[in-house]
Each structure stands twice: as C-alpha cells, then as structure tokens.
Amino acid sequence: MAPIDANKLNDFKKQLLASLEKLRNDVSEILMRSDHAGHKMAAKQIQKLSIDQLVELTSRMEISSISHKIKEIKSIDASLNDIEMGLYGFCSDCEEELDMTRLTEAPATKRCEHCEKKYQKQTYNKYKL
C-alpha cells in the first residue's frame, strides 16, 4: 500500500477535527443538564479549551454518561498527534499500514483488523469471570 497522500491526510484531519467538535458540543450539553454546579462551569469552559486541555479535563471526570465520549476524544487526539508526527495510518500495535477502507470508515482507527480482534479479546477476557 502506498503512503497516504497529503490531500487525503488533510481530509482525514478535517474529519477528525469535525468529530472532535461534535464530541465537544455533546459533552458540553450533557454537563449543562447536570445538577452539579461544577459540571455547569466546566460545560461553559469546554468550547475555549485546546484539545490537550479538553482531554485533561474530561479525563478527570468520572461521569458514566460521557465516558464513551471521553474515550472517543482521546482516540481522536491520538490520531491528530499521529498525523503531526507522520505516524498516521499505521497500526499502533504491529506498525503495519492500516487498510484505507478501514481509515475512511473510521478515521480514528488505531489498529489493523487482526490487532483489533486480539485487543478486543484481551479486553473481554479481563472482565470475564
């Protein structure tokens, strides 16, 4: 597989940033509906935060209704960092090139299909009694 060309890489970056903004808005809305005063304050600040600050803030929150969104934010942040470092499009485990179809469907994908199955199996087995 050929390396990702600059135009396609820019398209992926735009998709990731758009997804991040949607997540930022979703988290803000959820926090605004909270009865906790601190959550409402955080919701007002979320739009002003850099990506790093957003990841740091949301990582400290233990709110079940946003936990999956926090995971997505971290994944997008990691993908954006990979783009900046020239590592985007490679499996984070085996370092093989990721399938372009897989990236197109989910730009924050971090693992090839084989490594993702292995990761899911290991994760599942951690919680298995």
Side-chain angles (χ1 to χ4, degrees):
M1 181 188 297
I4 301 172
D5 69 59
N7 290 332
K8 190 66 176 166
L9 197 59
N10 194 41
D11 289 345
F12 284 130
K13 187 174 182 176
K14 286 178 185 176
Q15 287 177 312
L16 290 163
L17 288 170
S19 295
L20 182 65
E21 285 311 305
K22 182 180 181 333
L23 287 165
R24 185 188 299 260
N25 291 332
D26 291 349
V27 169
S28 182
E29 287 176 24
I30 291 167
L31 293 175
M32 284 302 288
R33 290 192 301 257
S34 173
D35 293 332
H36 192 283
H39 293 169
K40 290 186 188 296
M41 284 179 42
K44 292 175 184 175
Q45 295 299 316
I46 281 180
Q47 297 303 326
K48 300 174 187 175
L49 300 176
S50 69
I51 297 171
D52 290 339
Q53 291 170 325
L54 178 63
V55 169
E56 184 179 332
L57 173 70
T58 55
S59 294
R60 293 189 310 236
M61 295 181 168
E62 295 183 18
I63 306 168
S64 61
S65 60
I66 64 170
S67 63
H68 65 286
K69 293 187 183 302
I70 293 168
K71 186 176 178 181
E72 289 179 57
I73 289 169
K74 288 178 179 179
S75 180
I76 289 170
D77 180 53
S79 293
L80 290 169
N81 285 329
D82 284 350
I83 288 173
E84 295 302 316
M85 295 186 306
L87 300 173
Y88 184 76
F90 294 95
C91 177
S92 62
D93 293 348
C94 71
E95 299 179 2
E96 291 293 321
E97 289 184 38
L98 296 175
D99 180 62
M100 190 59 68
T101 304
R102 190 168 171 79
L103 280 175
T104 301
E105 292 172 3
T109 299
K110 300 298 293 171
R111 293 180 180 84
C112 65
E113 194 170 344
H114 172 74
C115 290
E116 184 62 32
K117 286 179 184 176
K118 189 173 156 183
Y119 174 79
Q120 292 298 328
K121 186 176 180 180
Q122 288 171 340
T123 303
Y124 172 76
N125 285 336
K126 281 184 191 175
Y127 299 107
K128 195 175 175 182
L129 296 176

